[in-house]
Amino acid sequence: NAGVTQTPKFRVLKTGQSMTLLCAQDMNHEYMYWYRQDPGMGLRLIHYSVGEGTTAKGEVPDGYNVSRLKKQNFLLGLESAAPSQTSVYFCASSYRHSISGANVLTFGAGSRLTVL
Amino acid sequence: GQSLEQPSEVTAVEGAIVQINCTYQTSGFYGLSWYQQHDGGAPTFLSYNALDGLEETGRFSSFLSRSDSYGYLLLQELQMKDSASYFCAVRGAGKSTFGDGTTLTVKP
């Protein structure tokens, strides 16, 4: 099984350009997430989805949009890229968890985005 | 909101035991997870605590005290390959919030 696959792995953009990061999972997970990670920092949640057709804002949603049209895919869009969005982006997915159950996230390999 | 604090760096020698602490402030707490990340690669799940006490998984153990909003990850018999970043994460409703991570350096 591939697990969680992110494309592209690397991308360089100019300020103001737009792009979409694609995340695909083959584990039939209900939940999907987009995080960004800046040097020396933890993972900050951008947007997440608890099911097909639903999305919600995380900690740092400004400047990003997402869509979950199919259960296995979660797209992250940047409409007008800014240098502050230079980061490594990680997609993750998990099963629907019970109240006391672990929310075990499976991460993709990451997408490194540079905005000039 | 949610916030987590963990030390930025820890250094230990091969074969030793190291403890990485995590304190958190959150609303709607369900549990505390730990993840490992090597050199900017994909984070991988290590352990989860929903209830107070110790969970053991091989060389790694994780502890939680809900009343103290505190947990730790204990790594025993350290190996060079354990050099990595370790993140605690608070599980809330539908999502997880991560700390800034602790970089563990294991020396020979």
Side-chain angles (χ1 to χ4, degrees):
Chain A
N1 285 339
V4 178
T5 303
Q6 295 181 226
T7 53
K9 289 183 171 51
F10 301 93
R11 184 72 186 270
V12 178
L13 288 177
K14 294 181 180 179
T15 297
Q17 287 185 317
S18 63
M19 75 159 297
T20 300
L21 296 175
L22 172 63
C23 177
Q25 53 95 3
D26 62 1
M27 298 170 286
N28 202 34
H29 283 171
E30 289 287 342
Y31 295 0
M32 296 188 74
Y33 313 82
W34 276 107
Y35 287 90
R36 61 176 287 175
Q37 185 176 35
D38 300 310
M41 297 185 69
L43 297 144
R44 291 184 291 170
L45 184 63
I46 305 171
H47 286 281
Y48 65 103
S49 168
V50 298
E52 182 179 324
T54 70
T55 62
K57 294 180 180 179
E59 305 165 70
V60 289
D62 293 342
Y64 305 95
N65 56 76
V66 288
S67 64
R68 183 103 181 266
L69 298 180
K70 293 183 178 181
K71 184 177 183 179
Q72 64 268 32
N73 295 337
F74 195 29
L75 278 65
L76 178 70
L78 286 73
E79 290 186 349
S80 180
S84 60
Q85 294 177 303
T86 294
S87 189
V88 180
Y89 291 84
F90 285 99
C91 176
S93 68
S94 71
Y95 285 112
R96 185 196 310 270
H97 39 78
S98 64
I99 290 296
S100 61
N103 182 21
V104 178
L105 274 63
T106 300
F107 283 85
S111 297
R112 187 175 298 274
L113 176 65
T114 301
V115 183
L116 301 176
Chain B
Q2 295 170 317
S3 67
L4 298 94
E5 287 192 15
Q6 49 182 132
S8 58
E9 295 180 350
V10 173
T11 302
V13 297
E14 207 172 4
I17 299 173
V18 71
Q19 178 174 312
I20 299 174
N21 298 320
C22 175
T23 57
Y24 59 88
Q25 289 184 315
T26 183
S27 55
F29 177 83
Y30 291 121
L32 188 70
S33 299
W34 289 91
Y35 288 79
Q36 180 190 60
Q37 184 182 38
H38 282 101
D39 284 338
T44 56
F45 173 81
L46 290 176
S47 186
Y48 177 77
N49 295 72
L51 303 175
D52 288 358
L54 193 68
E55 294 283 342
E56 297 182 66
T57 309
R59 294 188 297 115
F60 294 178
S61 302
S62 59
F63 172 82
L64 176 66
S65 169
R66 295 175 69 110
S67 60
D68 295 324
S69 298
Y70 164 75
Y72 66 73
L73 179 69
L74 191 73
L75 296 84
Q76 303 181 69
E77 301 173 14
L78 281 174
Q79 302 175 8
M80 297 300 291
K81 67 178 181 179
D82 296 330
S83 291
S85 292
Y86 293 85
F87 296 90
C88 58
V90 168
R91 190 209 138 182
K95 60 183 179 178
S96 291
T97 300
F98 285 76
D100 284 344
T102 299
T103 300
L104 170 64
T105 302
V106 180
K107 296 187 173 181

